[in-house]
Amino acid sequence: MRERKQLPYTQLEGLSERQLKEHHDVLYGGYVKKWNEIQEKLASTDRALANATYSEFGELKREETFALNGIKLHEGYFDNMKAGGSESAGMIKEWIEKDFGSYEKWLEDFKALGVAARGWAILAFDLDEGKLYNYLCDSHNQGGVWNSVSLFIMDVYEHAYFLDFATGRKAYIDVFFKNINWGFVNAQIEKYKLQQFRL
Ligand code: FE
């Protein structure tokens, strides 16, 4: 059984508690609940009936990654925000400047991703390439690249902003950037010891 984390959502600039706690948190909790339910069902599902068009086993495995990435991406999204925000600094700033030319160029690309994506904009570190990439994900289990570590995550599903901004996604993205916890992103680089993969 997976437990839901208590996420730090309150008092972010420009995002209401109603938006964050009453709605986004409920959705996040739903992914945890469904992942647990899928694990229970997998324990007794008949593998002999596996089929690519339809099978209970196939559908459970398909939705297992949807639910688990829904959990991981939401936890990362909330963890990389904090009240008051911060300026980009440290290792992540250095790597962004080297891999994208400048922080401003990275930001332009990442914000455009936020407008273009149907689900997520993600800054990830590719372990094989030893560098950073911006990725667009239209769904929790679509658009990611293997052997990559997600470092900085922005939720651009309508449920992340619609109560506060209606269709104003660009305004939401600007507010999101007022609440960034770059210290958390740098801590992720340390946690996964990513320096050793840097080429
Ligand atoms: Fe979300």
Side-chain angles (χ1 to χ4, degrees), residues 91-105:
M91 193 69 84
I92 191 64
K93 183 169 189 266
E94 216 175 278
W95 289 5
I96 284 174
E97 285 170 353
K98 180 144 192 293
D99 294 347
F100 292 89
S102 69
Y103 177 80
E104 288 68 31
K105 280 186 186 164

Side-chain angles (χ1 to χ4, degrees), residues 139-169:
S139 176
H140 306 334
N141 54 357
Q142 186 278 326
V145 174
W146 298 109
N147 299 349
S148 296
V149 178
S150 59
L151 288 177
F152 179 68
I153 297 165
M154 178 168 69
D155 192 338
V156 292
Y157 278 104
E158 278 82 359
H159 69 240
Y161 63 86
F162 210 85
L163 280 174
D164 289 341
F165 297 95
T167 55
R169 193 191 286 197

Side-chain angles (χ1 to χ4, degrees), residues 3 10 25 28 33 36 72 78 88 92 106-109 115 135 142 163 180:
E3 299 289 331
T10 52
D25 180 52
Y28 159 71
K33 198 169 158 231
N36 287 330
K72 286 174 183 268
F78 284 112
S88 68
I92 191 64
W106 168 77
L107 188 62
E108 185 189 14
D109 191 77
V115 173
Y135 292 132
Q142 186 278 326
L163 280 174
I180 303 308

